[in-house]
Amino acid sequence: MSKAKQWRSAIYYLALCAVVLSVMFTFIDEKTAKVTFYWAFYFSLAGVLGSVRTFNRQLLWLPGMLLLLGLSKVIWFYLAYTGSADYSPYNDYLNAGKRMLIGGVIGYYLLAHFQTYAQQSLRLIRYGLIAAFVGASLFGFWQYAGAMGRVEFALDRATISAYGYAMLSAALLFMLASESHRVSRLLICLAIFAVSFFIIVQTGTRNMIAAYPLIIMLVGLFHFRHLGAKAMLWVLGAVVLLGALSYKPVIEPRLDATIAEYQLYNNANGNQLGSLTSRLAMWRVGVACLAENPMGMRTEQRTAWFQHYVDTTHKDTTAMVYAPVHLHNELLDSATLQGIPGALVVVLFYIVLLGWALRNKNAPLFGIMLCIIVSGLTDVVFISREMTICIVLIIIMSVMWQRLEAGKKRV
């Protein structure tokens, strides 16, 4: 092997190992996860520059969607804040957009070269996701045993932790289930589901507690119908059993609290503080704000608009608790800031990746995208530093895995 080939090989493996390590450390040490993400970018950029003559437009669909979503946030920030007293290089949308642009470069480089190192790449992805899941789960059990209240890993936010862990678990579960349909492998997948659902329940994140079993069943129905009714009954039985075991200690109290908060919101016109009442208030005021400002505004302008609304209507005052941060809904937050075009870019991102996952029978990517969409109903995952990095890298790994598996079956 020539020295040039050795360098290209070394750069590729360094980039892929950095990607895998970043995902592995997301839930254990966020600083290490961030540092390895940037190292993955440096190696990928070096690899792209070193192979610029072999540029392949056919590989741009995934990097292109990451670049489009990232650019929509970066361009909005500079258009909205250039020359403004509110300009800050620490703006969440600006930094999220930059991370997606970086992810686009990483994705293009790895997708352009992974076939050259197919067997080793497949092993790195598979064992990397296994190690990430095992490490995160052990960390979660350690927090649960320590009576911390809600499991939140090293992210210090239980909700974001639940969303990211659900994506990781779904990716691994469906990756292993797709590779082999042996009974022993399916039992391992059931164990992964049982462990992950237990951890998610301990985060106390209501929407993911309800949605995660449904996502697993839905993806299973779409991608594993050929296994027959018996396999689906096993999955359904596991879901029902775990639900029954968790109902009294966790699910019923959360359900009662949700109903009580919804009634409180209606009775108090959104003026009584609560986890759900503040969200409902933000969503109602956010819709009114979008109706009057369809092309968006700066965050500070939105906060002022919200304040004027609650001062004049004397309702939904709890919206002001989180309004200066975000509106706890991906599409509404994007629409009220970036305008309707910004929200349409997010929708396009959802549609393209879901469509590709279905067309190519990529069960891990399908599960990841459903988790992202569900998470976006009650939070804004694309402005979270840790989740933006984790989501981008897990999506890239799932696409690489699917192509590698398809290539292996053709041989």
Side-chain angles (χ1 to χ4, degrees):
M1 183 184 292
S2 67
K3 285 188 177 181
K5 286 185 178 180
Q6 288 177 339
W7 275 108
R8 284 196 290 269
S9 177
I11 289 173
Y12 173 82
Y13 283 121
L14 286 169
L16 181 56
C17 286
V19 165
V20 172
L21 286 171
S22 182
V23 174
M24 287 171 59
F25 279 101
T26 295
F27 303 93
I28 301 171
D29 187 335
E30 59 175 297
K31 183 177 179 180
T32 302
K34 182 178 70 171
V35 169
T36 51
F37 172 71
Y38 287 119
W39 274 111
F41 167 66
Y42 301 143
F43 293 130
S44 298
L45 183 60
V48 170
L49 294 175
S51 57
V52 69
R53 292 183 180 179
T54 58
F55 180 77
N56 189 343
R57 277 184 257 179
Q58 293 181 340
L59 300 173
L60 281 177
W61 77 268
L62 175 59
M65 290 311 303
L66 294 173
L67 293 171
L68 177 62
L69 188 56
L71 278 173
S72 72
K73 298 181 183 300
V74 172
I75 291 172
W76 165 79
F77 171 80
Y78 284 115
L79 289 176
Y81 281 93
T82 299
S84 167
D86 298 318
Y87 182 97
S88 170
Y90 304 106
N91 180 276
D92 287 334
Y93 271 70
L94 172 64
N95 289 317
K98 289 178 178 178
R99 288 189 289 272
M100 288 175 193
L101 295 178
I102 288 172
V105 174
I106 295 171
Y108 175 78
Y109 173 67
L110 292 179
L111 289 170
H113 296 279
F114 72 97
Q115 294 287 8
T116 308
Y117 316 96
Q119 189 174 4
Q120 298 90 335
S121 297
L122 191 59
R123 287 175 180 170
L124 274 170
I125 291 170
R126 181 190 299 119
Y127 294 121
L129 286 179
I130 291 172
F133 174 77
V134 171
S137 300
L138 290 174
F139 198 92
F141 277 115
W142 175 74
Q143 288 187 326
Y144 170 74
M148 284 189 61
R150 297 172 70 179
V151 169
E152 53 188 28
F153 303 108
L155 304 178
D156 297 326
R157 276 188 62 196
T159 51
I160 285 295
S161 297
Y163 304 144
Y165 182 73
M167 295 173 206
L168 171 65
S169 304
L172 176 62
L173 191 156
F174 290 119
M175 181 188 74
L176 295 178
S178 298
E179 289 180 346
S180 171
H181 303 325
R182 295 195 304 268
V183 173
S184 59
R185 179 63 66 89
L186 295 178
L187 288 174
I188 291 172
C189 292
L190 283 175
I192 290 171
F193 171 72
V195 169
S196 57
F197 185 60
F198 176 83
I199 296 291
I200 290 169
V201 167
Q202 303 314 314
T203 68
T205 306
R206 285 175 283 201
N207 71 329
M208 194 51 71
I209 291 172
Y212 184 67
L214 299 178
I215 289 171
I216 298 302
M217 286 195 294
L218 180 62
V219 178
L221 285 171
F222 267 96
H223 290 276
F224 302 105
R225 294 188 299 270
H226 58 284
L227 295 181
K230 186 178 291 186
M232 293 311 301
L233 285 174
W234 272 96
V235 175
L236 181 61
V239 171
V240 171
L241 177 61
L242 284 171
L245 293 173
S246 305
Y247 185 77
K248 278 290 182 184
V250 178
I251 297 176
E252 186 180 35
R254 286 280 171 184
L255 182 61
D256 291 341
T258 300
I259 295 170
E261 283 201 46
Y262 181 75
Q263 293 172 340
L264 177 64
Y265 172 77
N266 288 323
N267 295 335
N269 286 322
N271 295 324
Q272 284 288 101
L273 183 63
S275 176
L276 180 60
T277 57
S278 61
R279 282 174 167 80
L280 293 171
M282 279 190 292
W283 297 339
R284 184 155 72 177
V285 182
V287 170
C289 179
L290 177 61
E292 286 198 13
N293 306 275
M295 298 309 294
M297 59 181 71
R298 296 195 302 273
T299 305
E300 296 76 15
Q301 292 172 322
R302 184 180 70 183
T303 302
W305 197 97
F306 270 48
Q307 190 64 61
H308 176 73
Y309 178 93
V310 300
D311 288 343
T312 54
T313 62
H314 306 294
K315 60 184 180 182
D316 294 318
T317 57
T318 56
M320 298 309 302
V321 176
Y322 299 109
V325 183
H326 60 73
L327 303 188
H328 282 79
N329 181 280
E330 194 82 56
L331 289 177
L332 188 58
D333 198 71
S334 297
T336 52
L337 293 178
Q338 297 179 256
I340 292 174
L344 289 177
V345 172
V346 178
V347 172
L348 179 64
F349 182 84
Y350 290 163
I351 291 172
V352 169
L353 268 71
L354 275 175
W356 193 91
L358 286 170
R359 188 171 64 252
N360 292 276
K361 297 182 179 179
N362 189 328
L365 180 60
F366 189 36
I368 292 166
M369 290 308 302
L370 290 179
C371 288
I372 291 172
I373 293 170
V374 168
S375 303
L377 295 176
T378 56
D379 216 319
V380 187
V381 294
F382 284 128
I383 65 170
S384 163
R385 179 179 63 195
E386 301 83 7
M387 280 305 97
T388 305
I389 291 173
C390 186
I391 288 169
V392 166
L393 297 184
I394 288 181
I395 287 175
I396 292 169
M397 291 169 71
S398 69
V399 172
M400 290 176 64
W401 168 85
Q402 190 273 335
R403 291 188 173 182
L404 289 165
E405 273 293 303
K408 190 173 71 172
K409 290 174 181 176
R410 286 195 296 267
V411 173

